[in-house]
Amino acid sequence: MNAPDRYERFVVPEGTKKVSYERDTKIINAASFTIEREDHTVGNILRMQLHRDENVLFAGYKLPHPLQYKIIVRIHTASQSSPMQAYNQAINDLDKELDTLKSAFEAELAMHSRDY
Amino acid sequence: MMCPVETPVGKACGPVKNVALMVHITVGSAPDLILDCLKNLELKDIEDISPGERAKGTKIIVNGFWVGIHRDPDKMVKTLRNLRRRHSIRNTYQSAMGKQAMGIYATNYQLRMVCIWLLFFFYDLSVSVILLQNAIVAIASYSGYNQGDSIIMNQSSIDRGLFRSLYFHTYKDEEKRMGTLVKETFGRPDRSNTMGMRHVSYDKLDDDGLVCHGTRVSCEDVIIGKTTPVAQDKAQGQASCCTRRDRSISLRHSETGTVDQVMLTTSADGLRLVKVKVRSVRIPQIGDKFSSMHGQKGTVGMTFGQEDMPWTVEGITPDIILNPHSFPSRMTVGQLMECIMGKEKVFAHYSEENEPYGDATLFTDLNVENIFNALHKLGYQKHGFETMYNGDTGRRLPAMIFIGPTYYQRLKHMAEDKIHSRARGPVQILTRQPVEGRARGGGIRFGEMERDCLISHGSALYLKDMLFDRSDAYRVHVCKHCGLMASADLEKNSFLCKGCNIRTNMVQVHIPYAWKLLVQELKALGIAPRMFT
Amino acid sequence: MEGMSYQRFPKVKIRELKDDYAKFELRDTDSSVANALRRVMIAEVPTVAIDLVEIEVNSSVLNDEFIAHRLGLIPLTSDNAMSMRFSRDCDACDGDGQCEYCSVEFHLNAKCRTDQTLDVTSKDLISADHRVTPVDFGDPAAYDSGDQQRGIIIVKLRRGQELRLRAIARKGIGKDHAKWSPAATVTFMYEPEIHINEEMMGNLTLEEKKAWVESSPTRVFDIDPNTGQVVVVDREAYTYDDEVLKKAEAMGKPGLVEIYAKEDSFIFTVESTGAIKASQLVLNAIEVLKQKLDAVRLSEDTVEADDQFGELGAHMRGG
């Protein structure tokens, strides 16, 4: 009755940006990305991928409240890189990883159906 | 039947005469079991005692028969007490709470016209009274949204029908006789000749003045149209065209639903009587109240989808997550036993040779050690714990979680029936302060303790706004000479203090209406509270 | 720094595959990816399910809401769900979500005319699109025995009762409502690594070994009948319950066995509701996850906005 609609969890409202970027005013090479309508699924893989980047000094995400459908990813990098660069890099790497995973699964699947 | 446990908690404490619904009546059953139990507790049988021994023990009487003596009755009673597996006050709480549970208590609910009735979509057993469902309950601290007697519920389970229930509300009205000739009549009121019609929808009424079943109705729609004739001389003040007065019944504010059934009949006095049953589906949501059978009640603090819930290696996600802090101080070991035994019964394969055994009472020879061993044999951690994984990150939770089925009931207190807010609305006639209560669209009380908070916070202006502007703001004119309220005509800009009989030297003050009232009442008592500015 | 990659190359090995069941190993990646896959499979792989019901006649014992809820939970074959449109962003219809691109119409018409109770089942739902039909749970073995499977029971009718309705099925995801979730169960376990301290184990008597082996609720260890040695028979049966570790401690032999969870090796079990094949569910999940990542890429104007800020940023960095 008073609860938010279920679609609010994944439909980005009109006039709202999916990702907004906010540079930290006190620390250089630190920034937070607010991603609307996403949850742990994206937040957690991004964070873990960012941890693999040796230029990233800090990477973390939070879901401020279960009924606030957004996550905040905070990145702090060394001077060789920038938060935005690290962010893009992480997404590209994950994308490529999923491509590998997909072809690996498809190859296995083809082998398995031949076995039948 | 008198229950020795059931009593209201607090000042109305005392035994309650009631029909006990979910008990076996054991009157007339053999006392052998109890005797065996007593013998184990060193009861000396009456046949074995010599006359000399008789004086050394206390007589034990079962069902009115003297069965033997015991040397140390204190110890025996203590042992018997220890056999109980639940703090007795919890039984008392549960017997009070069981009455608030939803469920089918008669199978002809579709035809009954009871005032308010709640029932489930799905039931676990087909017994005479069904009030509970078996939920998979985990006792864990997870996300922090189950603190202080609140519970986390699995939204996916709710989607699939867990605790989904129907809510029936029956509205009733009859054509009352007013005097000998005048009688109320059902019918659609007509705005051209009826006075006192409200600013709500009358469109859903048929020509006979009643809603049709299957109609969707929402807040304050009129569902029973009824008018009374107005005696012409009384209507003199009004426009003379009005011959009838509206006496319709509308749906309660804040209720919605579908008309399930409309019944038209005659009452015992031979008057036409109508009952309208409105149905709505109540899906569990944040704020709804649930309880186990052990006096462990709680409201839903958060719902999480299956993907966010913790999971076992078998892929099981709990329906409910309870806070572990609900257990130590309340000592409801019964619930833990119910859970662990339920888990064992779920997985065990029973046959005629291998019959299920035991319940949570002390009348069987069940002991937890047996359940532990049985669970271990079935391939589960013997204390009912399971390794669980965090649904957010997929990592193993550092502690093992106690999880298993527990019988849960939904209580009738639901957020939808209690939710209330107000921007503006009705005020009391006497004090001009907002009225009280949700049903009347009243205000939300800002009490003394809340006032203290604002004072200590230093928000003086906000406090004044709260207690004055948003409550009963009023202004009066005060004679500077005598300090009493004067009459004022602001349009003509003329003032008069009747006591001093002067027309000048007035001051306008803003005061709460309730205080103006107090001043006037004091004046009536012969006390003159004077305001000097 | 450009061009440097921290990508991983995960490996997959399928162990078991049925239409509605898959078991596979996932290696060389971490728990975040495994869990993201699990979460997407449960909550974000789209399927088709009944979302709108118009009831014309219902004289059954169940009320309209009840029947509508039951209809929603019936799994429908959703092989084309990935290419279907969500009705909320379908431009072919004026937002009413009833066009051929984003919806499928169903009809149900049942009346009981005999004294025998009539079961209205998912097989009575007539679809307007042959690609979207109620999932057939008919067990081929049951046909042979003449015991005909009748699908999922919606309601039972007695003589004279009737149910007539029109239903619209739409594409959706499990986050919106669990009826759209294609997954019955998705779970993974961390592959355990078990090291028995052979020297300590050798010093145990047979009774002690037996007691220790039996302390595990699942059959992870056993005693070789020939050599009397304790061997690991099924590593993956271990549920991280720590029972054997506690037992070893209680026997005064801590360190008898050491068990670790591998951080990069997972065994997945996927069960589907039948809406899509289990193997397809995994592939769709990867695809959906890729789309999600694509959606969270920084847009051009964000980059530009930062470039304008860049001068100051460079200043700050320089200072």
Side-chain angles (χ1 to χ4, degrees), chain A residues 6 23 38-39 41 52 55 84 87 89 92-93 97 99-100 102 108 116, chain C residues 1 4 6-7 14 17 29 39 175-176 287 290 292 296-298 306 309:
Chain A
R6 292 289 285 278
R23 190 191 285 257
E38 288 296 344
D39 59 8
T41 309
R52 291 173 63 80
N55 289 322
M84 212 180 266
Y87 182 86
Q89 171 90 53
N92 287 337
D93 287 346
E97 178 175 343
D99 279 332
T100 323
K102 193 173 184 183
E108 267 291 302
Y116 266 142
Chain C
M1 286 301 105
M4 182 125 172
Y6 302 97
Q7 195 206 334
I14 298 180
L17 193 63
T29 185
R39 288 172 63 91
K175 251 189 182 182
D176 200 346
E287 190 55 43
K290 268 168 65 78
K292 278 172 79 76
V296 300
R297 274 177 206 278
L298 290 169
D306 191 51
F309 191 53

mmCIF file of all heavy atoms in Angstrom, chain A residues 6 23 38-39 41 52 55 84 87 89 92-93 97 99-100 102 108 116, chain C residues 1 4 6-7 14 17 29 39 175-176 287 290 292 296-298 306 309:
data_model
loop_
_atom_site.group_PDB
_atom_site.id
_atom_site.type_symbol
_atom_site.label_atom_id
_atom_site.label_comp_id
_atom_site.label_asym_id
_atom_site.label_seq_id
_atom_site.Cartn_x
_atom_site.Cartn_y
_atom_site.Cartn_z
ATOM 1 N N ARG A 6 7.347 -2.383 -7.370
ATOM 2 C CA ARG A 6 8.434 -3.342 -7.582
ATOM 3 C C ARG A 6 9.321 -2.942 -8.750
ATOM 4 O O ARG A 6 10.525 -3.156 -8.719
ATOM 5 C CB ARG A 6 7.874 -4.749 -7.811
ATOM 6 C CG ARG A 6 7.216 -5.344 -6.606
ATOM 7 C CD ARG A 6 8.208 -5.722 -5.527
ATOM 8 N NE ARG A 6 8.950 -6.921 -5.833
ATOM 9 C CZ ARG A 6 8.496 -8.127 -5.624
ATOM 10 N NH1 ARG A 6 7.321 -8.314 -5.103
ATOM 11 N NH2 ARG A 6 9.226 -9.183 -5.923
ATOM 12 N N ARG A 23 33.688 13.651 -8.152
ATOM 13 C CA ARG A 23 35.089 13.651 -7.768
ATOM 14 C C ARG A 23 35.205 14.086 -6.309
ATOM 15 O O ARG A 23 34.480 14.960 -5.856
ATOM 16 C CB ARG A 23 35.819 14.644 -8.662
ATOM 17 C CG ARG A 23 37.314 14.594 -8.552
ATOM 18 C CD ARG A 23 37.870 15.793 -9.262
ATOM 19 N NE ARG A 23 37.813 15.636 -10.703
ATOM 20 C CZ ARG A 23 38.883 15.334 -11.426
ATOM 21 N NH1 ARG A 23 40.035 15.149 -10.843
ATOM 22 N NH2 ARG A 23 38.794 15.243 -12.724
ATOM 23 N N GLU A 38 20.869 -0.352 -9.458
ATOM 24 C CA GLU A 38 21.705 -1.542 -9.471
ATOM 25 C C GLU A 38 21.901 -1.987 -8.030
ATOM 26 O O GLU A 38 21.654 -1.218 -7.099
ATOM 27 C CB GLU A 38 23.054 -1.269 -10.125
ATOM 28 C CG GLU A 38 23.001 -1.089 -11.643
ATOM 29 C CD GLU A 38 22.550 -2.322 -12.400
ATOM 30 O OE1 GLU A 38 22.546 -3.429 -11.814
ATOM 31 O OE2 GLU A 38 22.184 -2.179 -13.582
ATOM 32 N N ASP A 39 22.327 -3.240 -7.843
ATOM 33 C CA ASP A 39 22.504 -3.754 -6.491
ATOM 34 C C ASP A 39 23.825 -4.504 -6.373
ATOM 35 O O ASP A 39 24.744 -4.273 -7.148
ATOM 36 C CB ASP A 39 21.308 -4.632 -6.089
ATOM 37 C CG ASP A 39 21.131 -5.800 -7.038
ATOM 38 O OD1 ASP A 39 22.007 -6.006 -7.878
ATOM 39 O OD2 ASP A 39 20.109 -6.500 -6.920
ATOM 40 N N THR A 41 24.794 -7.293 -7.314
ATOM 41 C CA THR A 41 25.233 -8.049 -8.489
ATOM 42 C C THR A 41 26.347 -7.301 -9.204
ATOM 43 O O THR A 41 27.418 -7.844 -9.462
ATOM 44 C CB THR A 41 24.042 -8.259 -9.441
ATOM 45 O OG1 THR A 41 22.954 -8.786 -8.694
ATOM 46 C CG2 THR A 41 24.401 -9.206 -10.554
ATOM 47 N N ARG A 52 41.792 -6.083 -8.280
ATOM 48 C CA ARG A 52 42.866 -6.720 -9.045
ATOM 49 C C ARG A 52 43.791 -5.689 -9.688
ATOM 50 O O ARG A 52 44.900 -6.015 -10.087
ATOM 51 C CB ARG A 52 42.269 -7.618 -10.131
ATOM 52 C CG ARG A 52 41.579 -8.854 -9.577
ATOM 53 C CD ARG A 52 40.871 -9.596 -10.690
ATOM 54 N NE ARG A 52 41.807 -10.093 -11.695
ATOM 55 C CZ ARG A 52 42.535 -11.180 -11.577
ATOM 56 N NH1 ARG A 52 42.438 -11.895 -10.483
ATOM 57 N NH2 ARG A 52 43.362 -11.562 -12.529
ATOM 58 N N ASN A 55 46.874 -0.284 -9.525
ATOM 59 C CA ASN A 55 46.854 1.166 -9.343
ATOM 60 C C ASN A 55 45.725 1.635 -8.439
ATOM 61 O O ASN A 55 45.657 2.804 -8.080
ATOM 62 C CB ASN A 55 46.730 1.866 -10.691
ATOM 63 C CG ASN A 55 48.012 1.731 -11.481
ATOM 64 O OD1 ASN A 55 49.089 1.799 -10.900
ATOM 65 N ND2 ASN A 55 47.882 1.509 -12.769
ATOM 66 N N MET A 84 38.227 7.149 -13.027
ATOM 67 C CA MET A 84 37.425 6.884 -14.208
ATOM 68 C C MET A 84 38.095 5.828 -15.083
ATOM 69 O O MET A 84 37.447 4.935 -15.604
ATOM 70 C CB MET A 84 37.239 8.181 -14.983
ATOM 71 C CG MET A 84 35.912 8.224 -15.683
ATOM 72 S SD MET A 84 35.736 9.729 -16.550
ATOM 73 C CE MET A 84 34.897 10.735 -15.402
ATOM 74 N N TYR A 87 37.701 2.495 -13.462
ATOM 75 C CA TYR A 87 36.304 2.054 -13.584
ATOM 76 C C TYR A 87 36.061 1.451 -14.958
ATOM 77 O O TYR A 87 35.545 0.340 -15.093
ATOM 78 C CB TYR A 87 35.407 3.262 -13.330
ATOM 79 C CG TYR A 87 33.922 3.005 -13.371
ATOM 80 C CD1 TYR A 87 33.254 2.574 -12.239
ATOM 81 C CD2 TYR A 87 33.183 3.225 -14.522
ATOM 82 C CE1 TYR A 87 31.889 2.356 -12.262
ATOM 83 C CE2 TYR A 87 31.825 3.015 -14.561
ATOM 84 C CZ TYR A 87 31.179 2.583 -13.425
ATOM 85 O OH TYR A 87 29.826 2.366 -13.449
ATOM 86 N N GLN A 89 38.255 0.388 -17.074
ATOM 87 C CA GLN A 89 39.111 -0.799 -17.215
ATOM 88 C C GLN A 89 38.422 -2.019 -16.587
ATOM 89 O O GLN A 89 38.358 -3.088 -17.183
ATOM 90 C CB GLN A 89 40.432 -0.527 -16.515
ATOM 91 C CG GLN A 89 41.331 -1.723 -16.386
ATOM 92 C CD GLN A 89 42.243 -1.870 -17.567
ATOM 93 O OE1 GLN A 89 42.955 -0.929 -17.927
ATOM 94 N NE2 GLN A 89 42.209 -3.020 -18.203
ATOM 95 N N ASN A 92 35.587 -3.209 -18.751
ATOM 96 C CA ASN A 92 36.095 -3.875 -19.958
ATOM 97 C C ASN A 92 36.618 -5.263 -19.635
ATOM 98 O O ASN A 92 36.332 -6.223 -20.348
ATOM 99 C CB ASN A 92 37.212 -3.035 -20.587
ATOM 100 C CG ASN A 92 36.650 -1.802 -21.260
ATOM 101 O OD1 ASN A 92 35.474 -1.772 -21.627
ATOM 102 N ND2 ASN A 92 37.476 -0.787 -21.407
ATOM 103 N N ASP A 93 37.373 -5.355 -18.543
ATOM 104 C CA ASP A 93 37.933 -6.656 -18.174
ATOM 105 C C ASP A 93 36.841 -7.663 -17.853
ATOM 106 O O ASP A 93 36.900 -8.812 -18.280
ATOM 107 C CB ASP A 93 38.865 -6.497 -16.964
ATOM 108 C CG ASP A 93 40.161 -5.821 -17.345
ATOM 109 O OD1 ASP A 93 40.434 -5.726 -18.569
ATOM 110 O OD2 ASP A 93 40.895 -5.378 -16.448
ATOM 111 N N GLU A 97 35.968 -11.091 -19.665
ATOM 112 C CA GLU A 97 35.919 -12.338 -18.893
ATOM 113 C C GLU A 97 34.624 -13.093 -19.176
ATOM 114 O O GLU A 97 34.621 -14.311 -19.353
ATOM 115 C CB GLU A 97 36.035 -12.043 -17.398
ATOM 116 C CG GLU A 97 35.927 -13.300 -16.569
ATOM 117 C CD GLU A 97 36.150 -13.068 -15.088
ATOM 118 O OE1 GLU A 97 36.690 -12.007 -14.728
ATOM 119 O OE2 GLU A 97 35.770 -13.954 -14.313
ATOM 120 N N ASP A 99 32.867 -12.854 -21.847
ATOM 121 C CA ASP A 99 32.948 -13.389 -23.205
ATOM 122 C C ASP A 99 33.653 -14.739 -23.199
ATOM 123 O O ASP A 99 33.191 -15.697 -23.815
ATOM 124 C CB ASP A 99 33.698 -12.411 -24.117
ATOM 125 C CG ASP A 99 32.796 -11.294 -24.595
ATOM 126 O OD1 ASP A 99 31.578 -11.547 -24.689
ATOM 127 O OD2 ASP A 99 33.293 -10.189 -24.856
ATOM 128 N N THR A 100 34.766 -14.791 -22.477
ATOM 129 C CA THR A 100 35.522 -16.042 -22.372
ATOM 130 C C THR A 100 34.654 -17.131 -21.762
ATOM 131 O O THR A 100 34.609 -18.261 -22.257
ATOM 132 C CB THR A 100 36.750 -15.855 -21.451
ATOM 133 O OG1 THR A 100 37.281 -14.569 -21.660
ATOM 134 C CG2 THR A 100 37.782 -16.913 -21.706
ATOM 135 N N LYS A 102 31.475 -17.314 -21.693
ATOM 136 C CA LYS A 102 30.375 -17.698 -22.575
ATOM 137 C C LYS A 102 30.865 -18.696 -23.617
ATOM 138 O O LYS A 102 30.253 -19.753 -23.816
ATOM 139 C CB LYS A 102 29.800 -16.468 -23.259
ATOM 140 C CG LYS A 102 28.481 -16.749 -23.942
ATOM 141 C CD LYS A 102 27.855 -15.502 -24.473
ATOM 142 C CE LYS A 102 26.499 -15.826 -25.059
ATOM 143 N NZ LYS A 102 25.879 -14.673 -25.655
ATOM 144 N N GLU A 108 31.721 -26.357 -24.160
ATOM 145 C CA GLU A 108 31.399 -27.504 -23.316
ATOM 146 C C GLU A 108 30.043 -28.081 -23.673
ATOM 147 O O GLU A 108 29.859 -29.288 -23.726
ATOM 148 C CB GLU A 108 31.384 -27.065 -21.849
ATOM 149 C CG GLU A 108 32.686 -27.252 -21.141
ATOM 150 C CD GLU A 108 33.015 -28.711 -20.935
ATOM 151 O OE1 GLU A 108 32.213 -29.400 -20.299
ATOM 152 O OE2 GLU A 108 34.080 -29.148 -21.411
ATOM 153 N N TYR A 116 25.599 -37.130 -26.136
ATOM 154 C CA TYR A 116 24.285 -37.751 -25.914
ATOM 155 C C TYR A 116 24.003 -38.866 -26.902
ATOM 156 O O TYR A 116 24.102 -38.676 -28.093
ATOM 157 C CB TYR A 116 23.183 -36.686 -26.051
ATOM 158 C CG TYR A 116 22.795 -36.071 -24.723
ATOM 159 C CD1 TYR A 116 22.507 -34.723 -24.625
ATOM 160 C CD2 TYR A 116 22.707 -36.869 -23.578
ATOM 161 C CE1 TYR A 116 22.146 -34.155 -23.427
ATOM 162 C CE2 TYR A 116 22.349 -36.312 -22.371
ATOM 163 C CZ TYR A 116 22.076 -34.968 -22.296
ATOM 164 O OH TYR A 116 21.716 -34.427 -21.105
ATOM 165 N N MET C 1 49.618 3.104 -19.118
ATOM 166 C CA MET C 1 48.676 2.236 -18.406
ATOM 167 C C MET C 1 47.649 1.634 -19.357
ATOM 168 O O MET C 1 47.115 0.572 -19.136
ATOM 169 C CB MET C 1 47.935 3.051 -17.340
ATOM 170 C CG MET C 1 48.804 3.390 -16.134
ATOM 171 S SD MET C 1 49.427 1.940 -15.309
ATOM 172 C CE MET C 1 51.135 1.960 -15.860
ATOM 173 N N MET C 4 46.657 -2.192 -20.503
ATOM 174 C CA MET C 4 46.957 -3.167 -19.453
ATOM 175 C C MET C 4 45.661 -3.861 -19.047
ATOM 176 O O MET C 4 44.633 -3.229 -18.911
ATOM 177 C CB MET C 4 47.531 -2.425 -18.263
ATOM 178 C CG MET C 4 47.918 -3.363 -17.170
ATOM 179 S SD MET C 4 49.602 -3.107 -16.737
ATOM 180 C CE MET C 4 49.732 -4.125 -15.319
ATOM 181 N N TYR C 6 43.589 -6.770 -16.568
ATOM 182 C CA TYR C 6 43.566 -7.626 -15.389
ATOM 183 C C TYR C 6 42.515 -8.712 -15.569
ATOM 184 O O TYR C 6 41.919 -9.182 -14.626
ATOM 185 C CB TYR C 6 43.258 -6.796 -14.140
ATOM 186 C CG TYR C 6 44.260 -5.685 -13.932
ATOM 187 C CD1 TYR C 6 44.000 -4.398 -14.363
ATOM 188 C CD2 TYR C 6 45.481 -5.960 -13.331
ATOM 189 C CE1 TYR C 6 44.923 -3.393 -14.192
ATOM 190 C CE2 TYR C 6 46.415 -4.963 -13.155
ATOM 191 C CZ TYR C 6 46.142 -3.681 -13.579
ATOM 192 O OH TYR C 6 47.057 -2.698 -13.414
ATOM 193 N N GLN C 7 42.318 -9.067 -16.813
ATOM 194 C CA GLN C 7 41.256 -10.005 -17.133
ATOM 195 C C GLN C 7 41.620 -11.412 -16.673
ATOM 196 O O GLN C 7 42.784 -11.786 -16.607
ATOM 197 C CB GLN C 7 41.057 -10.002 -18.648
ATOM 198 C CG GLN C 7 39.778 -10.646 -19.097
ATOM 199 C CD GLN C 7 39.894 -11.172 -20.506
ATOM 200 O OE1 GLN C 7 40.699 -10.670 -21.294
ATOM 201 N NE2 GLN C 7 39.106 -12.177 -20.808
ATOM 202 N N ILE C 14 31.264 -29.043 -17.801
ATOM 203 C CA ILE C 14 29.913 -29.516 -17.479
ATOM 204 C C ILE C 14 30.003 -30.959 -17.021
ATOM 205 O O ILE C 14 30.628 -31.795 -17.657
ATOM 206 C CB ILE C 14 28.980 -29.395 -18.703
ATOM 207 C CG1 ILE C 14 28.851 -27.932 -19.108
ATOM 208 C CG2 ILE C 14 27.615 -29.990 -18.385
ATOM 209 C CD1 ILE C 14 27.968 -27.694 -20.301
ATOM 210 N N LEU C 17 24.063 -32.860 -17.440
ATOM 211 C CA LEU C 17 23.174 -31.949 -18.144
ATOM 212 C C LEU C 17 21.873 -32.647 -18.482
ATOM 213 O O LEU C 17 21.858 -33.705 -19.116
ATOM 214 C CB LEU C 17 23.863 -31.448 -19.420
ATOM 215 C CG LEU C 17 23.219 -30.273 -20.119
ATOM 216 C CD1 LEU C 17 23.233 -29.042 -19.243
ATOM 217 C CD2 LEU C 17 23.939 -29.995 -21.420
ATOM 218 N N THR C 29 38.141 -18.122 -11.505
ATOM 219 C CA THR C 29 37.509 -16.827 -11.314
ATOM 220 C C THR C 29 37.199 -16.709 -9.834
ATOM 221 O O THR C 29 37.542 -17.621 -9.076
ATOM 222 C CB THR C 29 36.272 -16.667 -12.203
ATOM 223 O OG1 THR C 29 35.784 -15.353 -12.065
ATOM 224 C CG2 THR C 29 35.183 -17.652 -11.815
ATOM 225 N N ARG C 39 22.961 -14.738 -8.835
ATOM 226 C CA ARG C 39 21.938 -13.715 -8.599
ATOM 227 C C ARG C 39 21.187 -13.387 -9.879
ATOM 228 O O ARG C 39 19.960 -13.229 -9.862
ATOM 229 C CB ARG C 39 22.591 -12.444 -8.050
ATOM 230 C CG ARG C 39 23.057 -12.579 -6.622
ATOM 231 C CD ARG C 39 23.851 -11.361 -6.209
ATOM 232 N NE ARG C 39 23.037 -10.154 -6.245
ATOM 233 C CZ ARG C 39 22.335 -9.685 -5.225
ATOM 234 N NH1 ARG C 39 22.351 -10.326 -4.085
ATOM 235 N NH2 ARG C 39 21.627 -8.590 -5.344
ATOM 236 N N LYS C 175 13.093 -10.118 -10.296
ATOM 237 C CA LYS C 175 13.138 -9.007 -9.347
ATOM 238 C C LYS C 175 11.775 -8.356 -9.209
ATOM 239 O O LYS C 175 11.430 -7.839 -8.150
ATOM 240 C CB LYS C 175 14.110 -7.954 -9.866
ATOM 241 C CG LYS C 175 15.375 -7.867 -9.090
ATOM 242 C CD LYS C 175 16.148 -6.658 -9.542
ATOM 243 C CE LYS C 175 17.455 -6.572 -8.810
ATOM 244 N NZ LYS C 175 18.202 -5.394 -9.191
ATOM 245 N N ASP C 176 11.027 -8.367 -10.304
ATOM 246 C CA ASP C 176 9.698 -7.756 -10.312
ATOM 247 C C ASP C 176 8.728 -8.628 -9.529
ATOM 248 O O ASP C 176 7.999 -8.153 -8.674
ATOM 249 C CB ASP C 176 9.247 -7.614 -11.771
ATOM 250 C CG ASP C 176 8.148 -6.602 -11.924
ATOM 251 O OD1 ASP C 176 7.563 -6.213 -10.900
ATOM 252 O OD2 ASP C 176 7.856 -6.212 -13.063
ATOM 253 N N GLU C 287 24.714 -13.402 -20.648
ATOM 254 C CA GLU C 287 24.325 -12.337 -21.572
ATOM 255 C C GLU C 287 23.721 -11.151 -20.803
ATOM 256 O O GLU C 287 24.069 -9.994 -21.045
ATOM 257 C CB GLU C 287 23.319 -12.909 -22.580
ATOM 258 C CG GLU C 287 22.998 -12.018 -23.751
ATOM 259 C CD GLU C 287 24.250 -11.579 -24.511
ATOM 260 O OE1 GLU C 287 25.129 -12.432 -24.734
ATOM 261 O OE2 GLU C 287 24.334 -10.377 -24.855
ATOM 262 N N LYS C 290 26.310 -9.228 -19.001
ATOM 263 C CA LYS C 290 27.064 -8.385 -19.947
ATOM 264 C C LYS C 290 26.279 -7.098 -20.261
ATOM 265 O O LYS C 290 26.850 -6.007 -20.271
ATOM 266 C CB LYS C 290 27.321 -9.155 -21.252
ATOM 267 C CG LYS C 290 28.659 -9.896 -21.254
ATOM 268 C CD LYS C 290 28.765 -10.864 -22.409
ATOM 269 C CE LYS C 290 28.761 -10.173 -23.762
ATOM 270 N NZ LYS C 290 30.070 -9.568 -24.089
ATOM 271 N N LYS C 292 24.085 -5.706 -18.385
ATOM 272 C CA LYS C 292 24.067 -4.842 -17.190
ATOM 273 C C LYS C 292 25.361 -4.041 -17.091
ATOM 274 O O LYS C 292 25.337 -2.852 -16.803
ATOM 275 C CB LYS C 292 23.898 -5.703 -15.931
ATOM 276 C CG LYS C 292 22.482 -6.099 -15.642
ATOM 277 C CD LYS C 292 22.423 -7.091 -14.506
ATOM 278 C CE LYS C 292 22.565 -6.432 -13.168
ATOM 279 N NZ LYS C 292 21.369 -5.730 -12.727
ATOM 280 N N VAL C 296 26.162 0.205 -17.252
ATOM 281 C CA VAL C 296 26.780 1.046 -16.220
ATOM 282 C C VAL C 296 28.083 1.681 -16.698
ATOM 283 O O VAL C 296 28.806 2.285 -15.919
ATOM 284 C CB VAL C 296 27.031 0.268 -14.900
ATOM 285 C CG1 VAL C 296 25.741 -0.253 -14.337
ATOM 286 C CG2 VAL C 296 28.022 -0.851 -15.081
ATOM 287 N N ARG C 297 28.374 1.556 -17.982
ATOM 288 C CA ARG C 297 29.528 2.277 -18.531
ATOM 289 C C ARG C 297 29.276 3.771 -18.415
ATOM 290 O O ARG C 297 28.143 4.230 -18.478
ATOM 291 C CB ARG C 297 29.715 1.916 -20.003
ATOM 292 C CG ARG C 297 30.537 0.685 -20.216
ATOM 293 C CD ARG C 297 30.601 0.385 -21.696
ATOM 294 N NE ARG C 297 30.828 -1.034 -21.899
ATOM 295 C CZ ARG C 297 32.022 -1.599 -21.846
ATOM 296 N NH1 ARG C 297 33.087 -0.873 -21.599
ATOM 297 N NH2 ARG C 297 32.147 -2.900 -22.042
ATOM 298 N N LEU C 298 30.348 4.517 -18.289
ATOM 299 C CA LEU C 298 30.194 5.974 -18.178
ATOM 300 C C LEU C 298 29.732 6.527 -19.513
ATOM 301 O O LEU C 298 30.248 6.132 -20.567
ATOM 302 C CB LEU C 298 31.531 6.597 -17.788
ATOM 303 C CG LEU C 298 31.984 6.300 -16.368
ATOM 304 C CD1 LEU C 298 33.411 6.724 -16.193
ATOM 305 C CD2 LEU C 298 31.091 7.009 -15.369
ATOM 306 N N ASP C 306 33.958 15.791 -16.872
ATOM 307 C CA ASP C 306 35.173 15.649 -16.085
ATOM 308 C C ASP C 306 36.354 16.327 -16.775
ATOM 309 O O ASP C 306 37.231 16.869 -16.121
ATOM 310 C CB ASP C 306 35.479 14.174 -15.865
ATOM 311 C CG ASP C 306 36.580 14.006 -14.838
ATOM 312 O OD1 ASP C 306 36.446 14.607 -13.752
ATOM 313 O OD2 ASP C 306 37.558 13.302 -15.122
ATOM 314 N N PHE C 309 36.488 19.849 -15.995
ATOM 315 C CA PHE C 309 36.958 19.958 -14.626
ATOM 316 C C PHE C 309 38.441 19.625 -14.574
ATOM 317 O O PHE C 309 39.137 19.949 -13.634
ATOM 318 C CB PHE C 309 36.128 18.983 -13.773
ATOM 319 C CG PHE C 309 36.297 19.143 -12.301
ATOM 320 C CD1 PHE C 309 36.113 20.382 -11.702
ATOM 321 C CD2 PHE C 309 36.637 18.056 -11.512
ATOM 322 C CE1 PHE C 309 36.259 20.519 -10.340
ATOM 323 C CE2 PHE C 309 36.781 18.195 -10.153
ATOM 324 C CZ PHE C 309 36.596 19.437 -9.559
#
